[in-house]
Amino acid sequence: MKILVSNDDGVYAPGLAILAETLRKDSDLLCVVAPDRNRSGASNALTLDRPLEAYQHTTGYYSVNGTPTDCVHLGRSGLFMDGFVPDIVVSGINVGANLGDDVIYSGTVAAAMEGRTCRLPPIAVSMNSFHPKHFDTAAEIVRSIVAKLDSLVIAPRTVLNINVPDLPLSEIKGIHVTRLGHRLAANLPVPAEDPRGKIRYWIAGAGDVADREPGTDFFALEQHCVSITPLQIDMTHYSGMDNLATWLEEL
């Protein structure tokens, strides 16, 4: 299996190294392409206003001065490994969960989405902690899932969004298939004066959880379970099409 590994925390992130090392146990055909710095929150942005630069590190990893989507876009083109066309893209392991509305902004999820046309469903994996101690738990869970993906029957272009409690593997209570929960609106931006007297603004943190009902990704993690949410790229709201058509007829 040819595996392309990326992330949004950057090429030096410990979660990236642990994920790559773990997946390499089953495949020597593995390429790592990640941003040269932290690009959390970059979502699905592509860099179109300048050329991109790539650098190969002593680890064999490649870094790109662009977004997570840029990295996968370049990585799956065969530029870094001659003729390398990945069977799957695995993105992570992210510091901090990507739950509910987080997936809209997540560079981790976006990197996986850029691999949506690969032979196997792409995976985004995140830890439910901003100071994780158990990256190895998430890495082994992903390894076991990747090993069995050939037998998964699922709609084309589906992305598997995986969130893992920051616990030893022996303390994980199970794996739940979940839907996305929801958050309240984020807090207001925070103004701050710089040393030259100019007011700048910090984007506030994510909003509080509004929907943590059983069956959601938030609920699964609270139960010390892994959450796997299948995400679809087709954002069409099919149930609203008839109402919209009727409304348009009245204009």
Side-chain angles (χ1 to χ4, degrees), residues 189-202:
V190 179
E193 184 175 338
D194 72 12
R196 294 177 176 82
K198 183 176 179 61
I199 299 297
R200 302 180 185 274
Y201 299 89
W202 287 99

Side-chain angles (χ1 to χ4, degrees), residues 11-147:
V11 72
Y12 299 108
L16 179 77
I18 292 172
L19 178 62
E21 290 166 8
T22 302
L23 293 177
R24 205 183 293 275
K25 294 176 183 177
D26 299 323
S27 175
D28 290 330
L29 297 173
L30 184 144
C31 182
V32 177
V33 186
D36 62 354
R37 55 193 170 89
N38 192 315
R39 294 304 304 266
S40 296
S43 189
N44 297 85
L46 274 173
T47 301
L48 302 177
D49 61 343
R50 59 178 174 82
L52 297 167
E53 298 177 7
Y55 174 78
Q56 186 174 20
H57 298 255
T58 56
T59 57
Y61 299 174
Y62 291 89
S63 62
V64 175
N65 62 339
T67 67
T69 301
D70 290 331
C71 293
V72 176
H73 192 76
L74 293 179
R76 65 187 304 268
S77 68
L79 290 173
F80 304 129
M81 291 177 65
D82 187 32
F84 181 82
V85 178
D87 296 302
I88 185 172
V89 172
V90 183
S91 175
I93 301 167
N94 193 62
V95 172
N98 280 300
L99 303 165
D101 307 77
D102 302 341
V103 302
I104 299 170
Y105 310 102
S106 169
T108 306
V109 175
M113 284 185 173
E114 190 64 12
R116 61 191 177 275
T117 58
C118 291
R119 184 174 67 84
L120 296 172
I123 291 173
V125 57
S126 306
M127 298 294 298
N128 190 31
S129 171
F130 287 108
H131 303 282
K133 299 178 181 178
H134 300 285
F135 282 119
D136 57 318
T137 297
E140 287 298 337
I141 288 170
V142 170
R143 180 188 178 194
S144 65
I145 289 171
V146 168

Side-chain angles (χ1 to χ4, degrees), residues 97-104 108-109 112-113 121-126 141 145 149 152 154-155 157-164 174-182 211 213-221 225-233:
N98 280 300
L99 303 165
D101 307 77
D102 302 341
V103 302
I104 299 170
T108 306
V109 175
M113 284 185 173
I123 291 173
V125 57
S126 306
I141 288 170
I145 289 171
L149 268 183
L152 175 63
I154 201 165
R157 298 173 180 254
T158 300
V159 176
L160 302 181
N161 185 42
I162 301 176
N163 286 276
V164 182
I175 300 178
H176 288 186
V177 177
T178 60
R179 66 174 176 86
L180 296 177
H182 296 287
D211 177 12
E213 294 298 313
T216 64
D217 44 8
F218 289 104
F219 181 83
L221 288 176
C225 292
V226 175
S227 163
I228 302 184
T229 305
L231 305 178
Q232 62 180 6
I233 306 301

